[in-house]
Amino acid sequence: MTTRLMLISPAMNPALREARFPHTDEPDGDGPGGDGLDALGLREAEAVRETFPATATTYVSPSPRCRRTAEALGLDAKPLPALAPCAMGRWQGRTLDEVAATEPDALASWLSDPASAPHGGEPLLALLARAAHWLDTLSDGSLGDGALGDGALGDGAPGDESPGSGTAAGRVIAVAEPDIIRACAVHSLGATPAAFWRIDVRPLTVTELSGRAGRWNLLSGRPLHSAGPSPFAL
C-alpha cells in the first residue's frame, strides 16, 4: 500500500523570525516569552485552515509552535517525540548571529561536518537518521507510531526509538519542525547530508511525500489553502 504523507511547517513565530535555535525544553507559551506562536502567527495559521482528510493519521512535533499550529489548523494531532527538533545543547534559545559572534569555529564545524555536535546536543547525522527511520517505518506500515525512549530530551539528543503500536500504511499528516521536514526531504531524495543546508522550508507550507517500500516521491512547498494539487493527489 502506498503511504501518502503531508508535512506541514509551523506558522511564523519570534524564534523563526529571529533565526533563533529552538529550545528542546522550550518555554511552553505564546508571544515573546515562549516559543509558541505570537498573535500574528496564530492569525496566519487560522487564515489558511483547510479541510484535511478525515481518515488521515495525524502527528505533531512536540514543540509549542508546532502544537499551536496544529490546533489552529483544526488538527487533533498526537505529539511524536521522533519529530522533535534537533537538540541544540547550549545553543538553544540563541540566535545564529549570537553563536557566530561568540563561537565562530564551533559554528563552522557544525555547518561543515554532519557528525559534529560542538553545542553538546544532537549532530546532524543523528537528526537525519531519526527522520529517515520514521519515514521508513511509515512506508512499511509497521512502526509509524513508534515512540522514543524514556530519557528526557534535555540538552542532548532524543533517546532511541522503540516500536509503538503500529500505524497502517495510508494517509498521514504531520505538523513538523522545519529541520524535520528538511531531513525527510534529504532521505526521500537519497541526497547527501550536505543537501540539508540547501533546502528552505517556509512557514505554513506543505511538503508531500508518497511512497512504498522505502521509495519516495516528493512534491514540495505549496502554501496551505492554495490553488494546485489537492492534498494527497499524488
Side-chain angles (χ1 to χ4, degrees):
M1 180 184 295
T2 297
T3 298
R4 303 185 186 278
L5 170 63
M6 174 189 286
L7 294 166
I8 301 173
S9 57
M12 182 63 74
N13 78 334
L16 288 172
R17 195 174 293 116
E18 298 165 5
R20 187 177 299 278
F21 292 111
H23 289 81
T24 304
D25 48 349
E26 288 178 278
D28 195 353
D30 293 333
D35 268 340
L37 301 183
D38 56 17
L40 176 59
L42 186 59
R43 287 197 303 271
E44 290 174 342
E46 291 172 340
V48 296
R49 184 168 177 165
E50 61 181 49
T51 301
F52 298 98
T55 58
T57 302
T58 55
Y59 298 118
V60 63
S61 292
S63 63
R65 64 189 176 200
C66 285
R67 296 200 314 268
R68 290 291 284 145
T69 298
E71 292 169 3
L73 295 175
L75 292 170
D76 183 14
K78 176 181 178 179
L80 199 63
L83 303 181
C86 189
M88 296 307 297
R90 67 176 180 273
W91 292 356
Q92 59 183 325
R94 299 171 66 186
T95 67
L96 186 63
D97 286 345
E98 288 169 349
V99 173
T102 58
E103 301 184 56
D105 293 340
L107 181 62
S109 173
W110 178 65
L111 291 172
S112 61
D113 180 3
S116 174
H119 43 61
E122 184 178 22
L124 176 60
L125 283 182
L127 173 70
L128 293 172
R130 176 155 58 91
H133 177 69
W134 181 66
L135 274 184
D136 289 344
T137 59
L138 283 181
S139 68
D140 68 20
S142 59
L143 300 178
D145 208 19
L148 293 175
D150 293 334
L153 291 176
D155 286 348
D160 294 334
E161 288 191 310
S162 58
S165 59
T167 298
R171 295 179 172 182
V172 180
I173 299 171
V175 179
E177 284 291 323
D179 58 1
I180 290 291
I181 297 175
R182 292 159 72 187
C184 287
V186 168
H187 181 62
S188 69
L189 296 173
T192 64
F196 178 88
W197 304 113
R198 307 300 296 272
I199 299 170
D200 288 332
V201 177
R202 296 189 177 188
L204 292 174
T205 57
V206 177
T207 298
E208 295 172 272
L209 300 174
S210 64
R212 67 173 74 194
R215 182 183 182 277
W216 293 94
N217 294 323
L218 182 147
L219 175 64
S220 180
R222 80 165 175 89
L224 277 171
H225 200 62
S226 68
S230 60
F232 303 109
L234 298 178

